[in-house]
Amino acid sequence: MQEGDDRKFMMRCLELASKAEGLTYPNPLVGSVIVHDGRIIGEGYHVKAGGPHAEVVAVESVRERHLLEKSVLYVNLEPCSHFGKTPPCTDMIIANRIPRVVAGTIDTSDKISGKGIARLREAGISVEVGVEEAECSRINRRFFSFHEKKRPYITLKWAQSADGFIDVERPEGSKPEPFWISGKPERVLVHRWRAAEQAILVGAGTVRSDDPRLDVREWKGSNPVRIILSGSGNLPSDPGMKESIGSTIIFTFFPERINFPGAVVVKLSGNQTAALQISDHLWRCGVQSLLIEGGATVLNHFIRNRMWDEARIFYGKKSFVRGVSAPEIRGTLLSRVRYTESSLEILLNDQ
């Protein structure tokens, strides 16, 4: 089969895998297709942890099962070779006598890390790895960061005015509410992002000034775990996020000052940066991804400590003249999209 065909079918795997974004934690996003004589005869994707893996769904969708012995199985991530909540996919592939497997990238988690590929090759199956590898790695960036860096994949997000401010000057005693820089489509997009991540973080200043709910009310999905970084413990007595379903974690140096029923309060140590303590705590809790929405003090803290992987920045058309300066950041431009009220740039940390 030509290289172009391999790439085409791998892109279909990625398209399928993306359908479950935000739903499969702690498992990765995986799609699979089965091809016979250049035609897809079966396909599927992993929907949620505990459910059948993508390769199993794809095989079970094939009507003419005898064709499997002359087919190619494509999957964006190395098939598993261990018993978890489901049996190993490698055993299923071998049992069905599928002669060729094309995997987008190796699964670098400790339980697999090349063992699935080795198991297939030992059984006489031809295995190719690395087709559309960059895209296959990116779709599971959260999973890889968790297992390789031992911390969540950290995404920074903010919107700034045309003259470089993240917020206006707030008169003392002003009503806590957000000051919008971007438009409605961008706000819906942000809620879609929230639904894809396991946790979302803001600082106490944002809680006091914007009173955010940090939920996904503009999108279908689960609310991420809400995290507040409040060194002083100075928080409003009745923040709006209490109305949203979900868990809340508060990191502070003064836990005795926190009055937030139901929240988990974590005492910060002065021996390490807050960014490192937060990421380590979340990793130990099994959280693979963290979206940080500000404000400027928190964003700058994570940037300064190089604790970020991706930044999503909306550049608005309005000028504030004065206000809270937006963070300064450098990275590799991944994409740029224009909206009616703003433009969005996504940067990757290249350090």
Side-chain angles (χ1 to χ4, degrees):
M1 189 169 291
Q2 295 180 351
E3 180 181 347
D5 289 332
D6 283 349
R7 294 178 62 188
K8 177 180 71 174
F9 293 126
M10 188 58 68
M11 293 306 294
R12 176 57 180 164
C13 290
L14 292 169
E15 183 180 358
L16 290 166
S18 66
K19 292 177 181 292
E21 187 175 39
L23 303 176
T24 64
Y25 293 115
N27 292 353
L29 294 165
V30 185
S32 180
V33 300
I34 298 173
V35 177
H36 177 265
D37 283 345
R39 178 176 65 91
I40 294 177
I41 61 172
E43 63 180 26
Y45 62 95
H46 182 51
V47 177
K48 64 179 180 178
H53 289 189
E55 301 95 317
V56 174
V57 178
V59 166
E60 291 183 348
S61 73
V62 176
R63 293 183 178 180
E64 300 176 87
R65 300 295 283 269
H66 67 279
L67 294 179
L68 289 171
E69 296 184 14
K70 298 180 180 179
S71 298
V72 182
L73 183 146
Y74 292 85
V75 62
N76 59 285
L77 187 68
E78 172 184 5
C80 67
S81 55
H82 68 288
F83 279 90
K85 292 183 178 180
T86 59
C89 289
T90 51
D91 289 0
M92 182 274 302
I93 293 170
I94 294 168
N96 281 280
R97 299 181 180 180
I98 298 172
R100 182 172 183 247
V101 172
V102 179
T105 186
I106 290 175
D107 182 337
T108 57
S109 61
D110 293 338
K111 290 182 179 179
I112 304 177
S113 192
K115 297 182 183 72
I117 292 169
R119 175 79 179 92
L120 293 174
R121 285 175 174 163
E122 288 170 1
I125 295 173
S126 172
V127 182
E128 182 174 350
V129 184
V131 176
E132 295 294 336
E133 187 169 16
E135 289 298 321
C136 291
S137 295
R138 174 157 178 78
I139 197 171
N140 279 311
R141 57 195 181 276
R142 306 167 180 93
F143 179 79
F144 287 132
S145 178
F146 182 82
H147 288 284
E148 295 173 12
K149 298 180 180 180
K150 308 302 180 187
R151 68 164 175 79
Y153 185 89
I154 300 174
T155 300
L156 311 179
K157 171 264 167 183
W158 72 85
Q160 63 183 70
S161 65
D163 51 353
F165 295 103
I166 198 172
D167 196 5
V168 294
E169 286 188 346
R170 303 269 184 158
E172 188 174 349
S174 60
K175 178 182 177 181
E177 60 184 355
F179 192 92
W180 298 112
I181 295 174
S182 56
K184 177 67 172 181
E186 296 95 310
R187 294 197 284 276
V188 172
L189 176 61
V190 170
H191 284 233
R192 177 184 174 185
W193 291 345
R194 291 177 180 177
E197 312 301 341
Q198 282 189 284
I200 183 172
L201 183 149
V202 296
T206 297
V207 177
R208 291 191 294 266
S209 63
D210 292 356
D211 193 24
R213 289 167 59 181
L214 304 181
D215 58 16
V216 296
R217 60 192 178 277
E218 299 286 354
W219 195 259
K220 183 179 179 180
S222 300
N223 292 329
V225 175
R226 299 179 295 269
I227 299 174
I228 303 172
L229 173 55
S230 175
S232 67
N234 179 21
L235 290 172
S237 59
D238 191 28
M241 68 178 68
K242 281 188 176 181
E243 300 176 6
S244 300
I245 296 173
S247 304
T248 302
I249 305 175
I250 301 172
F251 289 86
T252 181
F253 290 107
F254 301 97
E256 66 278 4
R257 298 178 183 175
I258 302 298
N259 181 21
F260 198 120
V264 174
V265 180
V266 179
K267 180 177 173 59
L268 291 170
S269 166
N271 298 326
Q272 289 182 323
T273 65
L276 183 59
Q277 292 179 70
I278 291 170
S279 64
D280 183 61
H281 181 89
L282 294 181
W283 177 76
R284 286 186 281 109
C285 290
V287 175
Q288 294 184 6
S289 64
L290 174 63
L291 176 64
I292 300 178
E293 292 201 14
T297 301
V298 170
L299 290 165
N300 281 319
H301 173 70
F302 277 81
I303 293 170
R304 185 169 58 252
N305 286 283
R306 299 181 180 179
M307 294 289 290
W308 68 279
D309 299 287
E310 184 173 328
R312 301 174 181 179
I313 309 166
F314 290 103
Y315 294 89
K317 297 181 178 180
K318 303 173 184 177
S319 293
F320 289 177
V321 182
R322 62 179 66 87
V324 180
S325 296
E328 294 185 6
I329 194 168
R330 291 183 180 180
T332 300
L333 181 65
L334 178 67
S335 64
R336 181 183 289 116
V337 180
R338 295 188 181 278
Y339 296 90
T340 302
E341 300 295 332
S342 70
S343 62
L344 167 65
E345 289 188 0
I346 298 180
L347 305 178
L348 298 180
N349 189 347
D350 51 10
Q351 297 179 344

